[in-house]
Amino acid sequence: MRYLARRVIAAAVLVAVVSSGALLLTRLAPGDFASDLFGAGASAATIARERARYGLDRSPVSQYLDWLGRAARLDFGVSLVYHRPVAELVAQRAANTGLLALVALVFATLLGLPAGIITGSRRRGLLPTILRGLSLVLLSLPSLITSLVLVLVAARTQWFPTGGMQSAGAWDAGVFAGLADLARHLPLPALAIALPLSAMIERVQSQSMGDALEMPFTLSTLARGVPRSRLVWRDALRPAIGPVAAMYGFVLGSLLSGSFVVEVVTSWPGLGRLMYDALRARDLYLVAGCAAAGSLFLAVGTLLSDLLQAWADPRLRRDEAGGTSGGSA
Amino acid sequence: MTASRLVYQPFPVVGALILIALVSLSGGCRKEAPPPENTAPVKALVSSLRAEPRTFNRYAGRDSVLEIFTLLTQARLVRIDRRTQALEPWLAESWTSSEDGLTYTLKLRPGVTFSDGTPFTSADVLFAFRAVYDEKTGSALGESMRVGGKPLAVSAPDTSTVVVRFPSAFGPGLRLLDNLAILPRHKLEAALNGGTLGKAWDLATPPAEIVGLGPFVLKAYQPGQRLVFERNPRYWRTDGRGHRLPVLDRLTLEIVPDQNAELLGLQTGQTDFTQSEVRPEDYATLKRAADAGKLSLLDLGVGLDADSFWLNLRPNRPAVAKRPWLLRAELRRAISHAVDRRAFAETVFLGAAVPVHGPVTPGNTRWYSADLPRLEYDVPAARRLLAGIGLTDRDGDGVLEDRAGATAGFTILTQKGNTALERGAAFLAEDLKKVGLAVDVAPLDVGAVIDRIERGDYDAVYFRFLTTDLDPALNIDLWVSSGSAHVWNPGQSKPATEWEREIDRLMGRQVAALDQAQRKALFDQVQTIVAEQLPMIQFAAPRIYLATSVRVVNATPALLRPAILWNPDTLGVR
C-alpha cells in the first residue's frame, strides 16, 4: 500500500511538473492566441482587446499561479479555441488515443514478442535473419513514413479506410455495426504505431532470450533432456520477458506523445492531434491539459510495467517487500 | 446528458478488439449496404476540411472553417457572386439607394423561414447588426462592418423592409453586407441581452439548436472526425426550373488535417473534393488521374494571392540608425531588379505560376492593371542602384559594404513548414547574393512570424496574405498609412512619406467614389505609386487548380476561398 501511495504521489508530481512546464513554455514563446487568431495586420487595439478578454494581458506568473490553483482542484480551465472545459476535451480524445495505444500495443506484442523469441533462441537460419533485417528496417523508419506507406497501401488495396476513426452514421445501424466499423478503421493507425514498436520489442526480447538461454538453470534443464522448443517457449520465456515488461511503461507514455504524427496522417481524433492543434493555436490551457494527460499515461504505464516485472520476476517482489520494511523500520 | 455526449459514441474496448480480429480475418473489405428498395438514392457528397471547427457562431469567431459552416447553414441579405464579382439579391430581393448614396432601402424576400419554421423578418436583421456591434460580444465582424470607424445605422419601418444608412459615402455600398450572416434572433437574443453571445453556439450545442436560413442544417458533429449536414427542407431558393434547392441531400465534411492524406482520399474516391488547391508538386499525379477519367481537374487561372516580400520601413527602430539605407527606395528597386521572376515561378511553383509586379494579380480582373511600371530582371541595374546608396564591394570579397564598412545584408523571416514560402525565401536569398547582398533566411513558426511583424522586430519578411475581399476599399487597412495591415509601417499617426500621403489621399477619394470607372482610375494611380515605391514586392502568383471526383456536378469554382462551397446549394452529384 505504501509503495502504491508513493507511486501515486510521484505521478501527481510528474503531472504537475509536466503540465506546468507546458503551460509556461507555451505562454513564454513568441506570439500568443490573440495574435494567431487575427494574424498579421490586425490593429493593436483589436489584439489588446482580445488579450484582455482571454486574460493574456496578465503576467505569466500571475496567469500560471491562477491556473495552478484551479488545476489543484482538477479544474484545468477552458480552452481558448473551443470555449469548452479542457478536462472534457482531453477526456474525449484520451479515450480515442487510449484505444489506439492499446490496440497498437497488442499488435506490437503479438508481432514483436514471438519474433524476438525466435531471433533470440536461434542464432542462425533464414527466418531469424529475415526477422532481424525487418526489425532494423522498421526501427530506422520514422512513424511519418510508416504511416504514409500504410495509408498508401490502404488506398491502393482498399482493404482498410485510409483514415478516420468511424464512418459517418456508423452507429445508426446499431452497436454491432458501429463496432465493426471502428474495427475496420483501427488496424491502419494501430499498425503505423505498432510496427516500429514491434521491432523494438523484438530487439529487446531477442537479447533477453539469448541471455536467458545461457543461464545455468536453462542449461541444466536442457541437460536433463527437455526439448529445446519447450525450454524456449516455457522455461526461458518467463525470466526473459522482464526487460520487455520494463519497457512497456515508457512505451505507453511515448505512445501518447509519439502518436501525434500517426494521428495527423491517419486523421485519428486522438490526444496527440488535439495537442498539435492546441500548440498551433497557442491554446495554453489545452496544451497544459494534454500534457497532463500524457504524463498521467506515462505514470500509469510505468506503474503497470513495474507490476508486470514483479509478476515476471519474483526476486523483485522480495526486494520491494524488503525495501519497504527496511524503510519503515 | 450534454450534447457532446449525444454525438460522441462510447465504445466497449474489448468488443472492439474482438471485432478487429473478426474483420481483419474477413478481409476487412468495405462493403456498402445495398440501398433500400423503392426509395430515391440519397444525393450525397463528401468533402474535407484541414482543421476543426472552433465555434458555430459567426458573430463569435473568425476562421475559414467557420466561414464554410456559415455559408452552408446561414444566409446574408446580399451576396457577391465570387466568379463575376457582381452583387446579387439574396435574403433582400431588391433595394434602392438615395441620391447621395448614403441610404439604402432593402426589401426582404417574403415567405422565408428559418430551418425550424420561424419566419424571417426585419427584426432578425436588426438583431444581426446589434450583435456584431455589441462590445461584449467583441465580434470580429463588427470591425469590418464599419465605414471610417463608424457603424452603419439600421432601422426597420416594417417587418419586410430594412433601411441601412452609411455614415459617409462608401463606394462598395451594399457589398459590405456580404459579410453579414443573419443569425436567428429567436435563438440568440437572450444570449445577447445576457452578455454571453460570444459563448453561444459552441461546439457542445445540440445540432437541432443551430437553426439558419442556409441550404443545409447541421445533423451531427463528431469531434476530430466530421461534420454532417443535411438539406434544409425549408430553404427558400429554387433553381431555374422551380425545383427547391439545395440539390444535395447530404454533405459530409471529413476533418483530415494532413494534406497528403487528403489527396489520397480524393484519389481513392473517399472524398469528392477538398478545400485546398492543388499543390504544384501534386499537379502531375492529379493530371494523370484526370486524363484517365478518374478525377476532374479544374483550372481557375492565376490566383489572387502573390507571396509578398517587404522590408521593415518603421523609421525609428535601432537597426535603421545603423543601416539607414534599409529605408531607401533604391534598395527596394534593386531587389526587384535582382530577382529573375521567370526562374522564380519555375523554381518555387514548379512552373505553375506567372511573374507579377504588384500585389493585385491578373486573377483579380476587376482591379488588376496591366500598365504599371515594371522593374524587370536586370542585375547591372540592381548593382547601380545599390552603388547609388553607398553599397559597394569595398574589400573585393563579392559582398557589398555600406559607407561605414558594415556588410550590406539583412535577414528574411518566413513561415516554417510552408514549402512554397520556404522555397521562395531561399530563392530570393540566392538571387540577392548575386548582386552582393548578404541575405539570411530565418524560417519561424507562423505565430512567431506574426509576433515579430506585430512588434516590428525584423528587417524583412516573405509571407502570404490570403485575400478575403477583392475590392480595395474593403482592404483599406493595407493601403492607408494609418491602417493596421499597412505592414511595412503600420498605424502611422501621420504619413511618414510623401508617397504614403498621396496614397492616403487617393484612397480616401477611391473609397468615397460611387462610380466604378472613377474608383478603378483612382486605384490605378495608387497601384502606380506602389509599383514605383515598392513597399511590398511580389514576384509570382501561382495558377490555381482544383481537383474533384467525377461525381461532382454543377460546381462553380471561384478564386476566393472557399472555392467550391461558396455556392453550395446548386452543387450536385452524378
Side-chain angles (χ1 to χ4, degrees), chain A residues 41 46 84 96 151 159 166 273, chain B residues 8 28 143 202 224 226 484:
Chain A
T46 303
R84 305 288 311 151
N96 297 346
V151 168
W159 288 345
Q166 287 159 347
R273 216 176 99 192
Chain B
Y8 182 77
E143 264 191 50
D202 67 11
R226 67 184 56 81
S484 54

Side-chain angles (χ1 to χ4, degrees), chain B residues 336-523:
Chain B
S336 189
H337 272 310
V339 177
D340 181 352
R341 286 175 164 81
R342 294 211 171 277
F344 186 94
E346 285 294 326
T347 309
V348 177
F349 296 103
L350 311 181
V354 295
V356 294
H357 294 262
V360 180
T361 74
N364 188 349
T365 50
R366 199 177 171 96
W367 298 100
Y368 173 70
S369 173
D371 305 322
L372 301 176
R374 293 178 172 202
L375 300 180
E376 299 290 0
Y377 181 48
D378 187 344
V379 171
R383 287 187 186 278
R384 280 195 301 277
L385 282 164
L386 293 171
I389 54 173
L391 302 181
T392 54
D393 185 5
R394 292 165 205 278
D395 55 11
D397 65 350
V399 179
L400 305 183
E401 285 85 28
D402 62 17
R403 291 194 176 99
T407 301
F410 50 83
T411 299
I412 304 175
L413 303 186
T414 194
Q415 182 186 336
K416 188 162 65 180
N418 183 320
T419 48
L421 284 175
E422 285 187 325
R423 276 201 299 262
F427 186 95
L428 291 181
E430 280 305 309
D431 266 10
L432 296 180
K433 275 177 192 161
K434 288 177 192 162
V435 296
L437 290 170
V439 175
D440 297 316
V441 176
L444 298 177
D445 180 60
V446 63
V449 177
I450 293 169
D451 180 60
R452 297 278 290 270
I453 294 172
E454 194 192 322
R455 290 190 286 115
D457 180 15
Y458 66 94
D459 285 336
V461 167
Y462 182 64
F463 201 57
R464 176 176 293 182
F465 291 106
L466 296 181
T467 303
T468 51
D469 289 296
L470 298 186
D471 193 316
L474 298 175
N475 291 315
I476 188 77
D477 270 359
L478 170 67
W479 303 104
V480 298
S481 61
S482 58
S484 54
H486 193 76
V487 283
W488 55 90
N489 185 12
Q492 300 171 40
S493 52
K494 59 179 184 180
T497 61
E498 272 311 307
W499 57 269
E500 283 175 299
R501 187 186 303 282
E502 181 60 8
I503 288 178
D504 286 2
R505 192 184 66 79
L506 289 167
M507 281 308 295
R509 289 178 57 200
Q510 202 272 352
V511 168
L514 299 175
D515 176 64
Q516 173 60 22
Q518 189 190 359
R519 296 187 67 217
K520 173 74 167 70
L522 287 162
F523 188 59

Side-chain angles (χ1 to χ4, degrees), chain B residues 86-168:
Chain B
L87 188 66
E88 50 186 25
W90 212 244
L91 290 173
E93 62 176 356
S94 62
W95 57 86
T96 56
S97 67
S98 62
E99 267 190 28
D100 59 5
L102 291 178
T103 306
Y104 291 84
T105 304
L106 296 99
K107 206 71 192 161
L108 303 185
R109 203 173 288 278
V112 173
T113 61
F114 284 94
S115 53
D116 64 351
T118 306
F120 160 66
T121 69
S122 57
D124 293 296
V125 180
L126 295 183
F127 164 76
F129 277 94
R130 213 183 118 212
V132 296
Y133 291 137
D134 178 55
E135 286 205 356
K136 268 194 172 170
T137 305
S139 173
L141 278 179
E143 264 191 50
S144 65
M145 293 290 298
R146 288 170 196 268
V147 172
K150 293 177 184 161
L152 312 187
V154 188
S155 59
D158 57 58
T159 57
S160 62
T161 308
V162 173
V163 178
V164 177
R165 185 167 174 79
F166 285 77
S168 55

Side-chain angles (χ1 to χ4, degrees), chain A:
Chain A
M1 268 321 277
R2 184 173 288 193
Y3 170 72
L4 209 59
R6 258 202 338 256
R7 297 301 298 262
V8 168
I9 291 168
V13 172
L14 177 73
V15 170
V17 169
V18 170
S19 52
S20 296
L23 184 123
L24 283 170
L25 285 174
T26 311
R27 178 68 177 83
L28 294 172
D32 61 19
F33 174 71
S35 58
D36 181 73
L37 185 64
F38 285 90
S43 72
T46 303
I47 299 280
R49 189 190 66 212
E50 289 306 306
R51 283 195 178 125
R53 180 201 303 273
Y54 292 108
L56 302 173
D57 54 345
R58 291 182 297 154
S59 75
V61 173
S62 128
Q63 204 170 2
Y64 169 67
L65 291 176
D66 179 45
W67 174 82
L68 194 64
R70 283 186 285 113
R73 300 189 299 273
L74 297 182
D75 171 9
F76 291 92
V78 173
S79 157
L80 303 179
V81 171
Y82 301 109
H83 306 287
R84 305 288 311 151
V86 165
E88 185 185 305
L89 290 167
V90 168
Q92 253 181 18
R93 299 300 186 91
N96 297 346
T97 296
L99 173 68
L100 180 60
L102 194 62
V103 175
L105 208 58
V106 170
F107 280 6
T109 307
L110 291 178
L111 293 171
L113 211 59
I117 293 169
I118 291 168
T119 54
S121 59
R122 291 161 61 182
R123 298 287 177 205
R124 295 200 186 95
L126 184 63
L127 186 61
T129 309
I130 292 173
L131 288 175
R132 277 188 213 107
L134 265 177
S135 272
L136 286 176
V137 170
L138 289 173
L139 269 177
S140 55
L141 281 177
S143 351
L144 177 65
I145 304 293
T146 321
S147 315
L148 285 172
V149 168
L150 284 170
V151 168
L152 194 67
V153 170
R156 296 277 162 148
T157 60
Q158 303 269 308
W159 288 345
F160 298 107
T162 53
M165 183 172 160
Q166 287 159 347
S167 305
W171 298 91
D172 295 351
V175 172
F176 187 79
L179 285 172
D181 182 72
L182 176 65
R184 210 161 50 80
H185 284 79
L186 260 168
L188 177 73
L191 273 176
I193 296 172
L195 286 178
L197 201 58
S198 65
M200 204 192 307
I201 292 175
E202 185 277 327
R203 290 287 76 210
V204 174
Q205 182 61 44
S206 176
Q207 180 66 42
S208 175
M209 177 56 78
D211 293 346
L213 286 174
E214 283 172 14
M215 282 179 176
F217 84 93
T218 49
L219 293 175
S220 66
T221 310
L222 199 61
R224 286 207 308 274
V226 172
R228 187 172 168 83
S229 60
R230 194 170 149 193
L231 175 79
V232 168
W233 293 95
R234 200 194 66 178
D235 300 305
L237 183 57
R238 192 160 167 174
I241 217 163
V244 174
M247 213 176 77
Y248 266 50
F250 299 104
V251 163
L252 256 181
S254 67
L255 278 179
L256 278 150
S257 54
S259 66
F260 92 92
V261 171
V262 174
E263 289 183 0
V264 169
V265 173
T266 63
S267 309
W268 187 266
L271 194 60
R273 216 176 99 192
L274 185 71
M275 186 157 182
Y276 175 68
D277 290 342
L279 276 168
R280 288 185 60 181
R282 311 295 304 277
D283 187 343
L284 70 169
Y285 300 127
L286 192 51
V287 169
C290 291
S295 50
L296 190 64
F297 266 73
L298 183 65
V300 171
T302 316
L303 180 62
L304 279 178
S305 88
D306 285 355
L307 295 176
L308 261 176
Q309 264 189 294
W311 168 80
D313 189 347
R315 290 169 300 177
L316 289 176
R317 286 200 295 268
R318 284 198 299 273
D319 287 352
E320 186 54 48
T324 306
S325 54
S328 59

